[in-house]
Amino acid sequence: MTFLPVALLALAIGAFGLGTTETIVMGLLPQLSSGLHVTIAQAGMLVSGYAIGVTIASPLVAVLTNSLSRRDTLLLTMGIFIAGNACSAIAPGYWSLMTARVLTSFSHGTFYGAASIMAGKLVPPEKRAEALSLVYIGLTLAMILGVPLGTVVAQLTTWRMAFWLICGVGVVAWGTMWLWIPQDGKAGPTIRLYEQFRAMTQPLVVTMMLVSMCTSASMFTLFTYISPFLQIRTGLTTHVIDGVLLMIGGGLCLGNLLGGRLADWKMLPSCAGLMGAVAIVQLLLAPGSLHVWTCLVLLFLWGVFIYAPMAPLQSYVVACSGSAPNIAAVMNQSSFNFGNAIGAWAGGILVGTHWSYGSLPILSAGFAIVGFVLVLLAQYFDSRDRRPHTAGHADAEAPEHAASHS
């Protein structure tokens, strides 16, 4: 069992690379805008392009790789990741960079789906939530270190060097996974598409995936445009914003730890509370962003509350999906990234109008409020599903015991 923490570290490195490439554009908006001769809103669409690629491609890639072992799936998707970031680094123009971002996105959902399930299989059942949190720490560190460091590198050199560094992270991740991830069987038994569709269309599963979408939309509405938001609303300089990004990343890391503990306590009530807290903080941020210290405190709290539900939502959707955990893990990643695309797109519309940056927190709060209502709906579906199951448990138990003795 001593090799297991090392194997989880390999998955965390891969998650760090994917998280950095997903969010790096947020810190590079000024450099991309000037270097590619496009507006800030157009540069922000590079986030939406990546997210839409994840949303559309992830289920298809998951089906195509279902006959592979999870180890091979992880290595294949990390290879796509390396190639995509190399293409991003050498992209001559805006649309070639957009194409490279979409190519990179093909690796995202399937990697996280395979990594989530692999992490659970590497440890005893009682350690699965902890193992998944370790993988997601890689994603959290992407927010804390990846985006600020990439932003600094781009400021000192060029935005292309940031993508080359991410490519290097991918090479390290591929090598460590090849060395440390154990061989396993294929990803799972072949399940008919109809059965997978039926498992994924349960009301509770659909509702929770919509919660995932709203959580990401709330986050990326503001986070995509955080650099110009802080420059224009709060009056911060570029170098100070690097420190603010680092502070927000610290909040995200704390949120990752908080979310796991709250989910182990009560998943749906804690998720509802977090979504409500996000909405309140965002509404306060609309006027608070005009004052430096108020803005910093609110942004730190926002980082804590917005990220706390992420890993528990992934785990809960997989648990609720029944016979289709593989496709559930991938589809929920698609939901997260569709939310990313919606948030970046909706925020881009605002910053291009007279409403400008001051309305971003209000729009973000709106997505969080929708998520709060959906969690309440999920609680209804969960209680409804539990009642017949509990009532029928005693009747089902006797035939099961009889079959075991026959």
Side-chain angles (χ1 to χ4, degrees):
M1 298 289 287
T2 56
F3 72 93
L4 296 182
V6 180
L8 292 174
L9 177 61
L11 297 177
I13 295 171
F16 173 79
L18 281 161
T20 302
T21 201
E22 178 185 20
T23 55
I24 190 64
V25 168
M26 302 171 191
L28 304 181
L29 284 182
Q31 291 82 7
L32 289 169
S33 175
S34 60
L36 299 173
H37 308 292
V38 296
T39 65
I40 290 288
Q42 287 174 315
M45 289 303 292
L46 292 167
V47 177
S48 293
Y50 184 96
I52 291 172
V54 175
T55 303
I56 296 174
S58 292
L60 298 176
V61 177
V63 171
L64 292 174
T65 58
N66 194 55
S67 61
L68 301 177
S69 68
R70 290 192 182 91
R71 181 180 187 272
D72 291 343
T73 299
L74 291 166
L75 293 174
L76 174 63
T77 52
M78 193 49 57
I80 296 172
F81 170 84
I82 295 168
N85 278 288
C87 290
S88 296
I90 62 175
Y94 176 78
W95 287 109
S96 56
L97 178 57
M98 179 70 80
T99 302
R101 294 276 294 168
V102 173
L103 170 64
T104 311
S105 73
F106 290 0
S107 63
H108 190 105
T110 303
F111 176 89
Y112 275 117
S116 299
I117 297 172
M118 174 64 80
K121 289 186 174 295
L122 289 172
V123 296
E126 66 273 13
K127 294 289 186 180
R128 285 176 183 170
E130 183 179 349
L132 186 59
S133 294
L134 180 58
V135 174
Y136 268 77
I137 282 178
L139 182 57
T140 309
L141 288 175
M143 307 287 189
I144 299 174
L145 299 176
V147 175
L149 288 177
T151 303
V152 171
V153 167
Q155 291 169 356
L156 296 176
T157 57
T158 174
W159 60 265
R160 297 182 188 277
M161 184 57 66
F163 284 107
W164 280 122
L165 289 177
I166 296 171
C167 189
V169 172
V171 172
V172 173
W174 194 96
T176 54
M177 287 190 293
W178 185 80
L179 289 172
W180 296 336
I181 297 295
Q183 291 284 357
D184 62 325
K186 70 174 186 176
T190 302
I191 303 174
R192 289 183 299 178
L193 288 178
Y194 169 75
E195 294 177 359
Q196 294 187 33
F197 178 77
R198 185 174 61 179
M200 293 305 300
T201 53
Q202 298 175 66
L204 179 58
V205 175
V206 172
T207 303
M208 293 309 296
M209 286 196 296
L210 290 174
V211 173
S212 299
M213 181 190 74
C214 288
T215 304
S216 283
S218 180
M219 179 177 182
F220 276 71
T221 296
L222 177 63
F223 207 16
T224 301
Y225 304 96
I226 191 66
S227 293
F229 174 83
L230 290 172
Q231 286 177 334
I232 293 172
R233 292 286 294 177
T234 319
L236 300 183
T237 64
T238 301
H239 294 296
V240 175
I241 290 173
D242 295 338
V244 175
L245 291 175
L246 190 63
M247 181 202 70
I248 294 174
L252 297 175
C253 186
L254 183 59
N256 185 57
L257 300 175
L258 176 67
R261 291 183 179 274
L262 289 176
D264 287 339
W265 173 57
K266 288 185 178 180
M267 170 61 195
L268 293 179
S270 63
C271 187
L274 289 167
M275 298 302 288
V278 167
I280 293 171
V281 169
Q282 290 289 60
L283 290 174
L284 292 174
L285 186 61
S289 59
L290 296 174
H291 309 281
V292 174
W293 291 109
T294 304
C295 180
L296 294 181
V297 171
L298 290 172
L299 282 176
F300 179 78
L301 292 175
W302 172 73
V304 173
F305 295 142
I306 195 67
Y307 202 71
M310 295 291 187
L313 281 170
Q314 175 78 359
S315 179
Y316 190 74
V317 168
V318 171
C320 293
S321 65
S323 61
N326 297 321
I327 195 67
V330 174
M331 287 296 293
N332 197 54
Q333 285 297 314
S334 293
S335 299
F336 278 131
N337 280 272
F338 189 53
N340 297 355
I342 291 174
W345 169 76
I349 291 177
L350 277 185
V351 301
T353 67
H354 68 282
W355 295 102
S356 193
Y357 293 92
S359 300
L360 287 178
I362 298 174
L363 179 58
S364 178
F367 284 122
I369 291 170
V370 174
F372 175 82
V373 174
L374 287 170
V375 175
L376 298 183
L377 180 61
Q379 286 184 301
Y380 164 75
F381 287 132
D382 182 57
S383 60
R384 186 193 66 177
D385 293 344
R386 287 178 183 275
R387 282 196 297 269
H389 175 76
T390 303
H393 181 69
D395 294 335
E397 192 174 20
E400 183 179 329
H401 284 302
S404 65
H405 288 293
S406 62

